[in-house]
Amino acid sequence: QVQLVESGGGLVQAGGSLRLSCAASGRTFSSTVMGWFRQAPGKERDIVAVISGSGGRTNYAESVKGRFTISRDNAKNTVYLQMNILKPEDTAVYYCAASPYSSYLYTREYEYGYWGQGTQVTVSS
């Protein structure tokens, strides 16, 4: 069993920055592939970024490349999403997720077995 708790969402103006955190417990964190997803109103939940257990490999959605950075601190069992140059279209509920698998940088919802409660990010124009 894995518990995930996100924090750091809020309201920010376009061009601003936010850092999301996801604290994990209940599993060997350093071997767990972690992902950030987001869901805007009326839309499906999509991958934003994913990071390997060691932190050495990452992957990003095209829409956030160059603006967002995923990282992790395995000593603190925490994964982060640094979001810069935010745009109104980044407005969504952001979810942290943990995969029960460890081989690849998974990008599909069904490849993740554990989810946080979500944190709202709102970017005003």
Side-chain angles (χ1 to χ4, degrees):
Q1 194 74 5
V2 177
Q3 294 79 43
L4 302 172
V5 179
E6 301 105 332
S7 61
L11 173 64
V12 64
Q13 288 188 331
S17 298
L18 282 174
R19 188 176 82 155
L20 305 183
S21 299
C22 173
S25 61
R27 182 182 170 90
T28 305
F29 184 73
S30 61
S31 64
T32 302
V33 171
M34 299 293 295
W36 284 99
F37 288 75
R38 67 185 181 187
Q39 187 169 25
K43 296 188 176 181
E44 296 183 348
R45 189 156 56 182
D46 293 325
I47 188 70
V48 175
V50 57
I51 189 167
S52 63
S54 68
R57 293 178 294 140
T58 58
N59 198 12
Y60 297 90
E62 285 296 325
S63 60
V64 306
K65 279 184 180 178
R67 299 188 298 123
F68 290 12
T69 302
I70 188 171
S71 62
R72 64 193 297 159
D73 184 339
N74 286 343
K76 295 182 179 179
N77 280 13
T78 302
V79 63
Y80 305 97
L81 185 68
Q82 178 67 44
M83 306 185 294
N84 298 328
I85 318 176
L86 282 160
K87 303 176 181 180
E89 51 263 43
D90 294 319
T91 295
V93 177
Y94 283 71
Y95 297 90
C96 172
S99 176
Y101 315 112
S102 59
S103 298
Y104 303 106
L105 296 179
Y106 306 105
T107 61
R108 298 177 176 84
E109 281 191 77
Y110 68 82
E111 294 169 320
Y112 289 81
Y114 309 99
W115 295 84
Q117 80 285 357
T119 185
Q120 177 70 47
V121 171
T122 302
V123 184
S124 63
S125 57

